[in-house]
Amino acid sequence: MDEITLVNLLNKICEKNQALTWKLNCKYHDELDTSVMQIHFLQSGNLTETTKITFKMETGQVIEGKHRGFLGFRQPTLLVDALLDILIYEDSRIGSLTTN
């Protein structure tokens, strides 16, 4: 997974919904270059978690994940696809809030 692309997508989602902030943690790393990472999106005001995605950094394969409005991501899913789904969802959600 390209780290620059990852950070750009995370920032883009937070640009669309300015009430969100993100956090990235390493959950597991071994000496064989296997890293399991976790992304969290949080509400900026009260830090309520809206998203948790666990994925393999080297391949971008989602292990598990969910985002508000979704039941969960279908397997197999790549992280880029999951983040693009979240971006589209947040864009449509913010768009519907401003038209009401």
Side-chain angles (χ1 to χ4, degrees), residues 24-60:
L24 179 66
N25 297 34
C26 181
K27 299 309 267 178
Y28 173 80
H29 181 74
D30 64 15
E31 295 177 10
L32 302 173
D33 291 328
T34 301
S35 301
V36 175
M37 308 292 286
Q38 202 165 58
I39 295 170
H40 301 270
F41 281 106
L42 308 165
Q43 289 291 120
S44 298
N46 59 12
L47 299 181
T48 302
E49 184 176 87
T50 62
T51 306
K52 182 170 27 175
I53 302 172
T54 306
F55 67 99
K56 296 178 183 176
M57 185 66 180
E58 293 73 29
T59 63

Side-chain angles (χ1 to χ4, degrees), residues 8-87:
N8 285 339
L9 276 170
L10 295 172
N11 287 335
K12 188 69 170 173
I13 291 167
C14 292
E15 282 176 26
K16 287 292 178 188
N17 185 344
Q18 295 181 357
L20 291 178
T21 187
W22 62 269
K23 181 171 70 167
L24 179 66
N25 297 34
C26 181
K27 299 309 267 178
Y28 173 80
H29 181 74
D30 64 15
E31 295 177 10
L32 302 173
D33 291 328
T34 301
S35 301
V36 175
M37 308 292 286
Q38 202 165 58
I39 295 170
H40 301 270
F41 281 106
L42 308 165
Q43 289 291 120
S44 298
N46 59 12
L47 299 181
T48 302
E49 184 176 87
T50 62
T51 306
K52 182 170 27 175
I53 302 172
T54 306
F55 67 99
K56 296 178 183 176
M57 185 66 180
E58 293 73 29
T59 63
Q61 185 71 40
V62 173
I63 298 168
E64 66 179 349
K66 63 180 180 172
H67 180 72
R68 67 171 168 213
F70 297 6
L71 294 175
F73 296 105
R74 290 179 288 180
Q75 300 302 323
T77 300
L78 292 176
L79 181 61
V80 170
D81 295 331
L83 292 175
L84 288 173
D85 287 345
I86 291 170
L87 179 62

